[in-house]
């Protein structure tokens, strides 16, 4: 939980910092500018497997990174209307026996009511992971329950003083999930709509090989474990807005369930925010052996959410959040890391 909260705070800071290289937001039909926001709040679960205390204990939060478009398949939208596609990490807090979070891909319509007020409505698939206990013939067993549902969101944005496009955002999220609990929550945070940006000429990530490493912490999403030190060695190549990455992960030992290491390959989508700052999301298979499970080798899914800052033409600082999903209802893990990439 601490790692994910730190990631939200870092991305919020990047979303609202004034940067000399960030152009002002406009409503130009060619604008494909990035959108960033982070928000915290509270909510309640209901139905399905909900039991005990159903409030989220004030630990609800979301982080959004998106791309705005003012046209649909080349057709301009009416004035004051736009659309956006967001990649969302959503955490539904800590009701009793249900600690669910996950990743959503949302399509949103955005309408500007006035100079100060903007509304938005979005929906999309939501891949969730819930740490919970279930009853079996042998007694209660803790699992990481993965399910696919829908995340429906509405937002109201109020422009505030600061860099162009900065706003407060009041959001409502509804999670619909078949056979298990649903949830409703209100979140309040800050965000920024950026104008279209391309990498600065001196930091364009061409097709050359980038090598680097990151270091941080790992948390197993099950009780009876502790945090561990984790490291990643990475090679990556970029092709405009896309990238391919290869990683060797050392997840560290949680003292009870997981001491895993292995190789991963990921496809990345990169969204420039300013000429030197970008956000990216990666997805791919992760082949790893767990020393605390007799070196059993398995195929997992690695989902990554990353911020990159070009320090020079050959060096990039990165901050990322990684989710390892096993799909065996056990031993899912979160990694929060910082590091550098160097072009060769």
């Amino acid at each position: 939980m601490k790692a994910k909260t730190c990631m939200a705070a870092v991305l919020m800071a990047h979303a609202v910092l004034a940067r000399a290289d960030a152009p002002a937001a406009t409503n130009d039909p060619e604008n494909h500018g990035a959108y960033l926001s982070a928000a915290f709040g509270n909510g309640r679960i209901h139905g399905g497997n909900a039991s005990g205390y159903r409030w989220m204990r004030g630990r609800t939060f979301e982080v959004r990174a998106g791309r705005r478009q003012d046209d649909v398949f080349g057709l301009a939208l009416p004035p004051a209307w736009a659309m956006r596609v967001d990649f969302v990490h959503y955490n539904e807090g800590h009701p009793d026996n249900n600690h669910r979070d996950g990743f959503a891909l949302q399509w949103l319509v955005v309408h500007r009511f006035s100079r100060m007020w903007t509304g938005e409505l979005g929906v999309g698939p939501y891949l969730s992971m819930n740490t919970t206990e279930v009853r079996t013939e042998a007694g209660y067993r803790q699992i990481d329950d993965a399910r696919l549902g829908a995340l429906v969101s509405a937002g109201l944005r109020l422009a505030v003083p600061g860099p162009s496009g900065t706003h407060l955002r009041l959001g409502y999220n509804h999670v619909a999930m078949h056979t298990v609990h649903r949830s409703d929550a209100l979140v309040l945070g800050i965000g920024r709509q950026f104008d279209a940006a391309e990498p600065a000429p001196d930091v364009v990530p061409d097709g050359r090989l980038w090598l680097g490493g990151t270091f941080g912490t790992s948390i197993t999403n099950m009780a009876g474990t502790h945090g561990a030190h984790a490291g990643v060695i990475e090679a990556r190549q970029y092709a405009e807005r896309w990238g391919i990455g290869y990683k060797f992960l050392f997840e560290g030992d949680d003292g009870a369930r997981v001491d895993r290491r292995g190789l991963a390959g990921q496809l990345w989508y990169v969204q420039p925010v300013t000429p030197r700052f970008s956000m990216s999301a990666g997805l791919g298979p992760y082949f790893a052996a767990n020393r605390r499970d007799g070196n059993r080798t398995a195929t997992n899914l690695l989902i990554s959410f990353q911020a990159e800052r070009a320090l020079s033409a050959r060096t990039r600082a990165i901050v990322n959040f990684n989710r390892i999903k096993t799909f065996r209802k056990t031993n899912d893990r979160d990694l929060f890391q910082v590091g550098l990439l160097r072009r060769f």
Side-chain angles (χ1 to χ4, degrees):
M1 182 68 184
K2 289 182 180 179
K4 290 179 279 188
T5 304
C6 289
M7 185 64 181
V10 169
L11 297 182
M12 178 185 288
H14 278 302
V16 300
L17 283 177
R19 297 181 181 274
D21 56 353
T26 68
N27 197 37
D28 189 288
E30 298 300 321
N31 180 15
H32 290 174
Y35 177 80
L36 296 179
S37 72
F40 298 81
N42 199 13
R44 195 172 188 273
I45 66 174
H46 49 91
N49 58 337
S51 62
Y53 189 73
R54 304 188 181 197
W55 288 93
M56 298 179 183
R57 292 186 166 91
R59 299 187 183 184
T60 312
F61 72 83
E62 65 165 38
V63 179
R64 293 176 174 269
R67 186 184 187 195
R68 188 179 74 178
Q69 293 185 330
D70 294 324
D71 61 85
V72 180
F73 303 115
L75 300 177
L77 294 171
W81 287 86
M83 64 168 284
R84 199 175 72 236
V85 177
D86 281 358
F87 181 79
V88 186
H89 176 217
Y90 183 44
N91 190 305
E92 297 176 60
H94 282 189
D96 284 353
N97 195 32
N98 284 288
H99 299 174
R100 188 169 67 185
D101 72 337
F103 300 90
L105 187 67
Q106 278 192 322
W107 181 83
L108 300 97
V109 290
V110 182
H111 179 63
R112 186 174 181 180
F113 298 111
S114 68
R115 185 178 64 87
M116 298 294 293
W117 295 95
T118 301
E120 56 189 42
L121 181 65
V123 64
Y126 173 50
L127 176 61
S128 72
M129 300 85 171
N130 184 26
T131 303
T132 184
E133 284 189 348
V134 295
R135 189 172 184 176
T136 67
E137 293 182 357
Y140 284 92
R141 181 170 68 94
Q142 189 179 56
I143 63 171
D144 292 327
D145 189 24
R147 293 180 183 268
L148 184 65
L151 177 64
V152 181
S153 301
L156 184 63
R157 294 164 23 186
L158 172 64
V160 296
S164 179
T166 303
H167 55 266
L168 294 176
R169 183 180 185 275
L170 176 64
Y172 161 75
N173 291 325
H174 172 74
V175 173
M177 200 78 62
H178 184 59
T179 73
V180 295
H181 69 273
R182 302 173 299 280
S183 75
D184 295 281
L186 288 175
V187 294
L188 178 65
I190 194 164
R192 186 175 176 191
Q193 174 64 63
F194 292 79
D195 200 357
E198 295 296 333
D202 61 327
V203 298
V204 172
D206 55 23
R208 298 184 186 181
L209 183 67
W210 292 71
L211 298 176
T214 54
F215 182 78
T217 62
S218 63
I219 298 174
T220 305
N221 295 328
M222 304 194 80
T225 62
H226 59 67
H229 297 303
V232 175
I233 300 172
E234 181 174 5
R236 190 182 301 183
Q237 286 184 297
Y238 295 90
E240 296 182 352
R241 294 187 182 272
W242 297 92
I244 297 177
Y246 307 94
K247 294 181 176 180
F248 191 84
L249 289 84
F250 302 86
E251 296 182 43
D253 187 356
D254 67 8
R257 306 185 65 94
V258 184
D259 183 9
R260 200 163 42 203
R261 60 201 60 197
L263 292 169
Q266 288 183 297
L267 178 66
W268 288 86
Y269 178 78
V270 182
Q271 173 61 53
V273 180
T274 74
R276 294 179 181 273
F277 174 61
S278 61
M279 299 294 299
S280 54
L283 182 74
Y286 170 42
F287 307 97
N290 185 2
R291 290 187 174 186
R292 286 197 169 269
D293 190 18
N295 278 324
R296 179 171 177 260
T297 301
T299 303
N300 311 293
L301 179 67
L302 180 63
I303 306 171
S304 301
F305 195 24
Q306 179 165 290
E308 299 182 24
R309 173 72 177 177
L311 303 179
S312 70
R314 301 181 63 178
T315 306
R316 289 172 174 256
I318 58 178
V319 179
N320 60 31
F321 169 65
N322 303 280
R323 165 65 55 83
I324 296 164
K325 184 61 193 170
T326 66
F327 292 105
R328 291 181 300 281
K329 296 190 174 182
T330 184
N331 299 338
D332 291 355
R333 223 165 187 197
D334 294 333
L335 280 67
F336 174 71
Q337 300 193 300
V338 297
L340 295 173
L341 283 175
R342 181 79 173 169
R343 192 186 73 187
F344 289 86

